[in-house]
C-alpha cells in the first residue's frame, strides 16, 4: 500500500473514532441535560412520573412552612401560570427564600406534588456574596 493510501486510511479512521466518541458522549449526557420543567409546563403536558426531573420557578411568598424536626420544609413553586407544592428534607441553600428563584431536583407524585432530593437557589446577575460586597465597599472608601 502506498504512503498516500495509508494516510487516507488513518485520516478516515481518526474521523470515525471522533464521531464514535462524540456519539457515545452525547448518548451518555442525554439524561443529564440541565433543563427544568416549569409548573405551567407540567400543567400543560402532564406529570413526568417515575423519573428524576428538575422543577424550576419562584418560591411563592408566604408558602415556606418549616417542620418541627428542623430539616423538613414544604413550599410552593410558581411560574405565574401554575403552582406545584414541593416537599424537601435536608439543608436548604443560603440563598433559598420566598420570592426567589429555585430549581428542585426530584420526582413528581401522582397527586401532583413534588418531592425534592436537592435544592438549587438561583440569584440574579447582580448578586454578590456578602463578603465581597463588604470588601468592595472598603476598597472604595480607601481610594477616596
Amino acid at each position: 500500500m502506498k504512503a498516500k493510501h495509508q494516510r487516507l486510511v488513518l485520516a478516515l479512521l481518526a474521523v470515525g473514532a471522533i464521531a464514535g466518541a462524540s456519539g457515545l458522549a452525547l448518548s451518555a449526557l442525554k439524561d443529564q441535560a440541565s433543563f427544568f420543567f416549569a409548573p405551567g409546563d407540567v400543567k400543560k403536558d402532564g406529570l413526568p412520573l417515575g423519573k428524576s426531573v428538575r422543577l424550576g420557578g419562584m418560591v411563592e411568598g408566604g408558602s415556606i412552612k418549616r417542620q418541627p424536626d428542623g430539616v423538613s420544609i414544604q413550599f410552593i413553586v410558581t411560574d405565574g401560570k401554575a403552582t406545584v407544592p414541593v416537599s424537601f428534607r435536608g439543608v436548604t441553600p443560603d440563598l433559598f427564600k420566598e420570592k426567589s428563584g429555585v430549581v428542585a431536583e426530584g420526582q413528581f407524585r401522582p397527586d401532583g406534588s413534588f418531592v425534592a432530593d436537592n435544592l438549587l437557589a438561583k440569584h440574579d446577575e447582580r448578586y454578590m456574596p456578602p463578603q465581597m460586597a463588604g470588601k468592595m465597599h472598603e476598597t472604595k472608601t480607601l481610594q477616596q
Side-chain angles (χ1 to χ4, degrees):
M1 190 184 299
K2 293 182 181 178
K4 183 178 180 181
H5 287 77
Q6 285 178 341
R7 284 191 303 268
L8 180 61
V9 168
L10 285 174
L12 289 175
L13 285 173
V15 168
I18 290 171
S22 298
L24 286 173
L26 289 175
S27 70
L29 290 175
K30 76 178 175 185
D31 292 333
Q32 299 296 321
S34 62
F35 67 90
F36 56 83
F37 290 94
D41 298 336
V42 174
K43 183 178 178 183
K44 181 179 67 168
D45 300 333
L47 297 174
L49 294 174
K51 65 179 189 175
S52 292
V53 295
R54 290 181 174 174
L55 173 70
M58 301 294 286
V59 178
E60 194 169 88
S63 71
I64 296 177
K65 308 236 181 324
R66 299 190 184 275
Q67 300 302 312
D69 65 6
V71 292
S72 299
I73 62 168
Q74 276 95 28
F75 58 95
I76 296 174
V77 174
T78 184
D79 63 354
K81 299 176 189 170
T83 61
V84 174
V86 178
S87 60
F88 174 70
R89 181 175 172 84
V91 178
T92 59
D94 290 339
L95 295 175
F96 179 78
K97 59 184 179 185
E98 295 175 349
K99 298 181 183 179
S100 68
V102 68
V103 175
E105 298 174 335
Q107 293 187 348
F108 280 97
R109 290 188 199 158
D111 66 358
S113 64
F114 189 82
V115 178
D117 302 323
N118 190 21
L119 289 182
L120 306 169
K122 299 187 323 182
H123 54 76
D124 65 9
E125 65 279 355
R126 295 172 293 169
Y127 171 75
M128 183 177 301
Q131 299 85 359
M132 289 301 296
K135 291 196 185 304
M136 294 206 40
H137 180 67
E138 290 172 13
T139 305
K140 287 181 182 179
T141 304
L142 293 174
Q143 291 176 352
Q144 293 176 359

